[in-house]
Amino acid sequence: MAHSLAATITVLAATSAVPSVQAAEFLVRDQAEYKSAVANAAAGDVVRLADGEWRDFEIVFTGIGKLGEPITLTAQTKGKVVVTGRSNLRLAGEHLIVSGLVFRNGHTPTNEVISFRRTREHLAHHSRVTEVVIDRFNNPERFETDFWVVMHGKRNRFDHSYLAGKSNSGVTMAVRLDAEASQRNEHRIDHNYFGYRPVLGANGGETLRIGTSKYSLVESRTVVESNYFERCDGEVEIISSKSGGNVFRGNVFVESRGTLTLRHGNGNLVEGNVFLGNGVAHTGGIRVINKRQTVRNNYLSGLSGRRFGAALVVMNGVPNSPINRYHQVDQAVIENNTIIDAAHIELAAGSDDERSAVPIASHMRRNLIVNSTPRSTITAHDDITGVKFEGNVVSGVTSVPAANGFTEQSVELAQTPSGLKRPLGSQFEKVGAAADLAVVAREETGPPWYPKPNTISSFGTGRTFAAQPGQDTLTQALATTDAGDAVELQAGEYVVTKIIELAHPVTVRAAADAESPPVVRFERSTLFELADGGSVEIIGVAIDGGFAPDAYGNSVIRTSRYAMLHNYAVRVVDSEVANLNTNHSFNFLRVARHTFAQEIEILRSSFKAVSGAVIALNREIDDLGIYNGEYITIEDSRFLDIGGAVLNVYRGGTDESTFGPHVTLHRNTLANVGLDKRNTSEASVFLHGAQEVSIADNEFRASERVRIVKTVGEPITILERNRLIETAAPVVRQRHL
Ligand code: CA
């Protein structure tokens, strides 16, 4: 195995004044050479993986380096070593450094991609993983849980790395305290780029978790500093701190849905962080639970979240709480924070029969709360006399929760050099976040050699192709497209004889000069099948189901039958869909379990003669808080003679980790909808467990009623100005769990 080592060992020039031994450098070209080199590596040595693809490589990196003379595993050229397939990295020992590797096009066969331990007993200490990339390295099964980086041991550092695109279940990064040797660990997590984490549609989509409830009364003492969190949307917790003595300092959160949550454990410090919501839905700030939490000098702007996802949340606790519920807020200090244009600040949040222990011995002082448009913002849900308010300044806040401790002042904001806003005037010097609050730049995070994505491809961002009427001309045109491209149809008939599989976002639309809507007919059980990564937008097209087989269960669009990692979108605009009735249960959209629509939108379209449902998002039946779609919007559309429901959405269970589903139905007409005997929902619109519902200005004529089952999470349900003609009144039921 060592046959080629002699040739590849080069003696390094002395880099330190007095090296204790001469350091060696090994350039290895395959897994056998790697193993041999690591077995021979001593303090100060460097093992380099040759540039190229390393497939199915379970890297075990062990050794004992010394302070100032670590053993290093790196790439021949940083960024040019790509680890693919079923691969991972375990490191164990002392004074180890790993850098320069890219994990892409694969997934880990174990629970972790990078683990700071080899076995439960053999951990890494005083070691560093820096400038590594884990890019969409997802298990193909959406709900097969794994973690990308798990820190064990003590005094380890994870920094300047890139973690983005985790789409399967499981925390992106975790610090574990499940062994004495991993507690009071003093790890550092800094200057990392935590990029896009799409909505998971279930619990288990946190970006960073430190500890677990079981060990939460143990101190972790992990420092999380100068990281950049961009659109980390997985679930309600961006960061879940479940241990004590952690420091979250100088991190930036951009348009990330959810909050930094001090979920379990005491004595944590949250300071100097910047949250920029830019008004994006469900962006939140900091949620406080437990004892001796300090939240100071943070800057929170444009956060739209409510309830547990608000800009600032101080929770009620459970008296004598079990370890995994809510410990009372005690001795919290919340001071010198700047909160601009926040939709909500929630105090004594979650107050109910169980969570009745109000915050005690706590302080909120010298915070600056400014709204450019006056609104109430601050809500106290219970007795807050246990919070002492002093010297808080509010502007544009229409009501404050306590008689003392808040002064309403006219505040004029000006931009500081770091891009944040500060009030003009010396009277505000000691209020809000400091003028010199540092903001880590996006470019300072992650490895400098790996580009961060600027946009995600979506509809209408690419080229346009033309298709002429005829048989399979649409199929041929679509075969030439890339993500974001469009195919334009002239007036005439398009017959599709094969299922069209779409693996990227694509638009099918009528040409601007088409004299009448092009008509698409299909001969197979579906017209479009969305493969993982596929999305479809249909504009100005007539789709006729009359050529579909005389068999039950057809559809116009269906998802892959298997789990899909990528969230997809379906848009139908100015289109006409008819004759989906060659047999029973013909749906417009049929989805499979463990698939997830980020957005389904139907605008100004008509659906006529459909034997099944128009949109059925009801395949997650395990009552685990999992569901099939986030935003469903249907507006200005007509539905006539539909056997099933126009919309059927099911989200079961008691989990509160998600923001959706969101359903909007405005200005539609439904006539003779839902009356087929196979429509077990017995509804024209059936919504179970949706979180935000607005059904307004619709006309229901000779149709089944609307049925809504409300479950957890204080859902918002608006039903107004609907005209009911020969249709029973909606039923809204609260399900007590
Ligand atoms: Ca969670």
Side-chain angles (χ1 to χ4, degrees):
M1 287 298 132
H3 57 279
S4 63
L5 281 178
T8 57
I9 291 171
T10 49
V11 177
L12 285 178
T15 51
S16 58
V18 190
S20 57
V21 290
Q22 229 159 14
E25 187 152 329
F26 307 85
L27 178 65
V28 297
R29 293 182 182 82
D30 60 35
Q31 294 190 30
E33 285 186 12
Y34 167 78
K35 261 190 192 165
S36 173
V38 168
N40 288 303
D45 290 354
V46 177
V47 178
R48 289 186 191 276
L49 302 182
D51 289 352
E53 180 181 351
W54 291 70
R55 194 165 184 81
D56 298 335
F57 188 14
E58 294 197 52
I59 308 171
V60 177
F61 181 47
T62 57
I64 304 290
K66 293 180 191 163
L67 183 64
E69 290 177 82
I71 304 173
T72 300
L73 166 61
T74 189
Q76 184 181 4
T77 310
K78 282 179 181 174
K80 295 271 171 65
V81 169
V82 183
V83 184
T84 65
R86 291 164 58 86
S87 298
N88 58 24
L89 165 66
R90 282 173 283 168
L91 60 150
E94 291 187 14
H95 297 289
L96 305 174
I97 295 183
V98 178
S99 69
L101 309 183
V102 176
F103 289 85
R104 205 170 53 206
N105 299 332
H107 66 275
T108 178
T110 59
N111 283 330
E112 303 98 5
V113 178
I114 297 177
S115 179
F116 283 72
R117 74 178 187 191
R118 184 179 62 86
T119 66
R120 287 174 180 276
E121 293 75 33
H122 192 191
L123 313 181
H125 304 286
H126 302 283
S127 293
R128 179 181 181 193
V129 174
T130 182
E131 293 190 43
V132 299
V133 170
I134 305 179
D135 186 357
R136 293 163 289 173
F137 204 68
N138 293 309
N139 191 297
E141 179 57 53
R142 187 181 182 97
F143 285 100
E144 189 67 49
T145 298
D146 59 29
F147 311 105
W148 278 6
V149 180
V150 180
M151 294 182 90
H152 301 272
K154 292 191 185 183
R155 295 189 185 83
N156 294 315
R157 183 177 178 198
F158 183 80
D159 65 283
H160 293 89
S161 291
Y162 172 111
L163 306 179
K166 191 168 201 295
S167 306
N168 66 318
S169 170
V171 179
T172 306
M173 176 165 185
V175 175
R176 299 301 301 266
L177 308 179
D178 52 358
E180 166 66 27
S182 298
Q183 298 170 358
R184 295 167 297 282
N185 52 61
E186 297 177 14
H187 295 320
R188 272 179 63 78
I189 299 168
D190 64 280
H191 294 89
N192 298 293
Y193 176 76
F194 292 96
Y196 184 41
R197 170 126 209 204
V199 175
L200 180 62
N203 191 13
E206 303 89 343
T207 292
L208 174 62
R209 190 186 70 204
I210 303 179
T212 53
S213 60
K214 187 173 175 185
Y215 299 97
S216 59
L217 297 180
V218 169
E219 291 214 329
S220 184
R221 299 182 195 162
T222 297
V223 175
V224 179
E225 189 165 26
S226 302
N227 299 284
Y228 204 90
F229 295 85
E230 186 168 44
R231 296 194 303 137
C232 295
D233 295 343
E235 60 141 277
V236 296
E237 296 172 304
I238 307 166
I239 296 179
S240 188
S241 181
K242 296 186 169 179
S243 49
N246 297 313
V247 175
F248 302 90
R249 182 189 291 133
N251 303 287
V252 174
F253 299 82
V254 177
E255 296 179 12
S256 291
R257 291 161 50 126
T259 63
L260 191 176
T261 301
L262 302 175
R263 184 66 187 84
H264 299 297
N266 305 313
N268 297 287
L269 172 62
V270 180
E271 69 173 352
N273 300 285
V274 174
F275 293 78
L276 305 174
N278 298 332
V280 170
H282 304 300
T283 47
I286 301 158
R287 184 155 75 112
V288 178
I289 308 157
N290 309 292
K291 290 188 178 68
R292 301 188 315 279
Q293 313 286 28
T294 301
V295 176
R296 69 182 177 218
N297 196 33
N298 298 286
Y299 183 94
L300 306 102
S301 173
L303 301 172
S304 70
R306 68 177 186 111
R307 200 169 171 261
F308 298 176
L312 176 65
V313 189
V314 179
M315 291 288 293
N316 255 18
V318 174
N320 304 311
S321 175
I323 192 79
N324 64 345
R325 289 298 293 160
Y326 286 86
H327 286 231
Q328 185 174 32
V329 171
D330 181 0
Q331 301 164 70
V333 174
I334 299 169
E335 61 187 13
N336 287 100
N337 300 290
T338 293
I339 305 177
I340 298 172
D341 289 330
H344 296 282
I345 293 171
E346 312 273 13
L347 305 177
S351 169
D352 59 19
D353 291 347
E354 185 207 16
R355 284 180 294 232
S356 60
V358 299
I360 55 169
S362 295
H363 294 267
M364 277 186 75
R365 56 200 175 205
R366 299 188 303 277
N367 298 290
L368 174 70
I369 303 169
V370 180
N371 291 328
S372 48
T373 307
R375 57 180 299 154
S376 60
T377 305
I378 311 171
T379 308
H381 297 269
D382 204 330
D383 173 20
I384 51 164
T385 52
V387 182
K388 190 169 183 196
F389 299 96
E390 290 170 283
N392 299 292
V393 170
V394 297
S395 179
V397 177
T398 54
S399 67
V400 292
N404 297 314
F406 292 89
T407 53
E408 165 80 28
Q409 299 198 36
S410 167
V411 172
E412 196 188 336
L413 297 170
Q415 207 139 356
T416 66
S418 57
L420 306 182
K421 287 175 178 164
R422 279 282 306 162
L424 290 171
S426 57
Q427 70 273 33
F428 299 119
E429 227 162 67
K430 294 195 159 63
V431 179
D436 62 354
L437 175 59
V439 185
V440 69
R442 195 173 184 254
E443 314 82 71
E444 293 174 71
T445 62
W449 41 262
Y450 201 80
K452 302 177 182 74
N454 281 317
T455 53
I456 44 171
S457 57
S458 60
F459 299 128
T461 56
R463 304 161 298 169
T464 299
F465 298 88
Q468 299 303 319
Q471 181 164 306
D472 292 325
T473 52
L474 174 59
T475 312
Q476 287 151 18
L478 283 167
T480 62
T481 60
D482 286 321
D485 289 349
V487 170
E488 281 193 351
L489 310 184
Q490 296 297 328
E493 188 182 68
Y494 295 75
V495 175
V496 177
T497 66
K498 301 167 192 164
I499 293 171
I500 300 176
E501 192 181 283
L502 300 174
H504 51 249
V506 71
T507 297
V508 176
R509 66 171 177 245
D513 57 352
E515 282 162 9
S516 59
V519 179
V520 177
R521 303 179 201 274
F522 56 102
E523 296 185 348
R524 298 281 284 154
S525 58
T526 196
L527 171 59
F528 296 118
E529 177 168 309
L530 303 179
D532 207 355
S535 288
V536 65
E537 179 183 52
I538 299 165
I539 304 174
V541 174
I543 295 173
D544 188 306
F547 288 2
D550 180 6
Y552 64 86
N554 295 328
S555 56
V556 174
I557 302 169
R558 74 179 183 215
T559 65
S560 165
R561 275 173 296 156
Y562 308 105
M564 285 167 69
L565 277 171
H566 294 90
N567 299 347
Y568 67 91
V570 170
R571 288 190 85 229
V572 181
V573 182
D574 296 325
S575 292
E576 300 163 15
V577 178
N579 302 325
L580 310 187
N581 58 1
T582 52
N583 204 315
H584 72 80
S585 308
F586 197 148
N587 285 5
F588 177 70
L589 173 64
R590 183 182 306 284
V591 307
R593 185 167 172 262
H594 294 182
T595 64
F596 193 77
Q598 174 63 29
E599 184 176 39
I600 294 173
E601 200 169 25
I602 294 177
L603 305 178
R604 301 184 303 275
S605 293
S606 75
F607 292 75
K608 193 177 168 193
V610 178
S611 64
V614 176
I615 296 169
L617 300 173
N618 59 348
R619 305 306 301 162
E620 304 293 351
I621 55 172
D622 294 335
D623 289 347
L624 297 173
I626 304 177
Y627 54 104
N628 288 120
E630 190 69 359
Y631 289 94
I632 302 102
T633 303
I634 304 176
E635 293 183 333
D636 302 302
S637 293
R638 299 183 308 281
F639 300 89
L640 175 63
D641 302 335
I642 313 291
V646 163
L647 178 60
N648 185 334
V649 175
Y650 187 86
R651 175 188 183 275
T654 58
D655 181 74
E656 293 189 62
S657 305
T658 65
F659 295 113
H662 308 70
V663 175
T664 303
L665 270 78
H666 291 165
R667 301 176 302 277
N668 303 291
T669 305
L670 290 77
N672 187 28
V673 172
L675 296 165
D676 188 275
K677 63 181 189 297
R678 288 191 171 81
N679 179 18
T680 53
S681 74
E682 298 180 341
S684 54
V685 175
F686 179 77
L687 307 175
H688 180 112
Q691 292 296 294
E692 293 189 13
V693 174
S694 175
I695 301 178
D697 301 306
N698 302 287
E699 180 178 303
F700 294 85
R701 184 182 289 268
S703 292
E704 274 285 11
R705 67 204 331 167
V706 172
R707 289 182 192 274
I708 296 176
V709 181
K710 300 209 281 186
T711 59
V712 292
E714 297 170 32
I716 297 170
T717 305
I718 296 168
L719 277 162
E720 58 191 15
R721 297 184 306 275
N722 296 297
R723 286 183 306 286
L724 305 176
I725 301 155
E726 297 169 51
T727 301
V731 173
V732 180
R733 194 156 58 86
Q734 178 71 50
R735 177 127 183 251
H736 295 284
L737 299 142

